[in-house]
């Protein structure tokens, strides 16, 4: 009789974003792909984007608490569409202030989820200081979660690779598309999640066009340039740490 071992633990992806909509625009394809493979995806939204990324709601005369509730509902529906769990820290945006308490809460999430990969903002964004603040806390918490002597619940983590997703103004933020991820098979899922974010409807077409452009670059870098018509959608990422490999590929 064959003895079966314990069930394999599914891979875990942790996404740390400044605002409630960031994970959809920038990493929705990666999230949907991971979820489609049965992997666990946890999204942490440090804020709701209630002050700086909800202009439409403010112009409609909505109040702060109402806007927070609206953005939470949008993000929850988008996360469910993508197949992810979402957590909200409600730390307040514009500005998002990096601090020890928030970092400690992120350490707890790292240890609870034991991520195999981490997605977050790049270091630079001259148009939105909340994004670099989220980056600093995400990286600091990753380091602290590895330290056996650092207080907190849960087991220490390893050193999960980190990928920076593409900012809204990549040329001004020092962003280079080092990794092009083919999201064609889950594009319709990402688009459906984007359409959950009614507060930022003006971004729906922008991020659709961006996925098309990155898809063109993916095809150009994946094989012969045959000039054939295609419909490839992609997301771009950077890697702040070295890639570990046993062969070059």
């Amino acid at each position: 009789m064959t003895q079966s071992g314990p069930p394999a633990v599914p891979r875990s992806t942790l996404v740390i974003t400044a605002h409630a909509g960031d994970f959809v625009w920038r990493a929705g394809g990666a999230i949907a792909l991971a979820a489609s493979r049965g992997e666990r995806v946890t999204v942490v939204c440090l804020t709701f984007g209630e002050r700086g990324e909800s202009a439409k709601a403010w112009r409609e005369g909505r109040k702060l608490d109402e806007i927070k509730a609206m953005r939470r509902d949008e993000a929850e529906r988008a996360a469910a569409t993508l197949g992810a769990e979402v957590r909200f820290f409600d730390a307040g945006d514009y500005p998002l202030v990096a601090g020890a308490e928030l970092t400690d809460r992120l350490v707890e999430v790292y240890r609870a989820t034991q991520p195999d990969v981490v997605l977050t903002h790049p270091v630079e964004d001259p148009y939105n200081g909340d994004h670099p603040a989220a980056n600093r806390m995400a990286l600091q918490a990753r380091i602290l979660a590895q330290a056996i002597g650092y207080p907190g619940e849960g087991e220490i983590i390893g050193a999960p690779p980190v990928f920076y997703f593409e900012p809204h103004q990549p040329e001004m933020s020092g962003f280079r598309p080092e990794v092009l991820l083919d999201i064609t098979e889950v594009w319709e899922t990402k688009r459906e999640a984007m359409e959950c974010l009614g507060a930022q409807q003006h971004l729906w077409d922008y991020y659709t066009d961006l996925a098309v452009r990155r898809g063109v670059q993916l095809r150009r870098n994946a094989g012969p340039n045959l000039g054939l018509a295609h419909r490839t959608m992609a997301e771009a990422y950077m890697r702040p740490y070295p890639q570990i490999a046993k062969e070059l590929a």
Side-chain angles (χ1 to χ4, degrees), residues 1-237:
M1 182 176 180
T2 302
Q3 295 287 334
S4 60
V9 177
R11 280 175 54 86
S12 172
T13 295
L14 177 59
V15 186
I16 299 174
T17 69
H19 311 109
D22 294 338
F23 71 93
V24 182
W25 313 121
R26 294 161 168 79
I31 293 169
L33 280 173
S36 72
R37 296 190 294 263
E39 301 175 15
R40 179 186 182 186
V41 184
T42 306
V43 177
V44 175
C45 299
L46 297 175
T47 81
F48 295 110
E50 65 273 12
R51 296 186 185 278
E53 304 208 340
S54 304
K56 180 173 178 285
W58 285 105
R59 292 192 182 103
E60 292 171 350
R62 297 177 185 267
K63 303 301 182 183
L64 180 61
D65 287 345
E66 186 181 5
I67 293 172
K68 284 186 177 183
M70 178 185 68
R71 296 312 309 270
R72 181 184 189 116
D73 175 69
E74 290 180 352
E76 288 177 337
R77 287 188 288 110
T81 299
L82 296 172
E85 171 197 354
V86 62
R87 306 182 187 188
F88 304 97
F89 280 15
D90 192 14
D93 70 327
Y94 277 65
L96 168 62
V97 179
E101 181 181 352
L102 284 176
T103 302
D104 279 346
R105 291 176 67 183
L106 284 175
V107 170
E108 292 178 5
V109 175
Y110 270 102
R111 289 180 172 176
T113 60
Q114 294 289 311
D116 296 285
V117 64
V118 177
L119 310 180
T120 194
H121 298 273
V123 174
E124 299 178 44
D125 190 338
Y127 293 92
N128 193 321
D130 290 358
H131 297 156
N135 166 276
R136 291 193 298 275
M137 287 186 284
L139 296 191
Q140 178 72 351
R142 174 183 174 274
I143 294 170
L144 296 176
Q146 298 175 54
I148 193 168
Y150 192 81
E153 298 293 328
E155 295 294 324
I156 62 171
I157 67 170
V162 177
F163 292 85
Y164 292 162
F165 41 64
E166 184 165 4
H168 190 67
Q169 300 278 0
E171 300 88 351
M172 301 300 295
S173 301
F175 183 86
R176 296 181 60 202
E178 297 171 342
V179 178
L180 294 170
L181 180 68
D182 190 338
I183 62 169
T184 308
E185 66 182 86
V186 294
W187 167 250
E188 293 304 325
T189 302
K190 176 172 180 174
R191 176 71 194 204
E192 182 181 349
M194 287 164 52
E195 292 181 5
C196 292
L197 305 179
Q200 294 177 288
Q201 185 173 348
H202 61 287
L203 295 178
W204 295 359
D205 288 344
Y206 175 89
Y207 279 98
T208 297
D209 293 343
L210 179 60
V212 171
R213 294 198 303 275
R214 293 309 188 194
V216 171
Q217 293 173 335
L218 184 151
R219 286 294 295 265
R220 181 64 183 87
N221 285 276
N225 182 21
L226 301 178
L228 300 177
H230 63 87
R231 177 70 168 174
T232 304
M233 311 296 275
E235 290 173 345
Y237 294 86

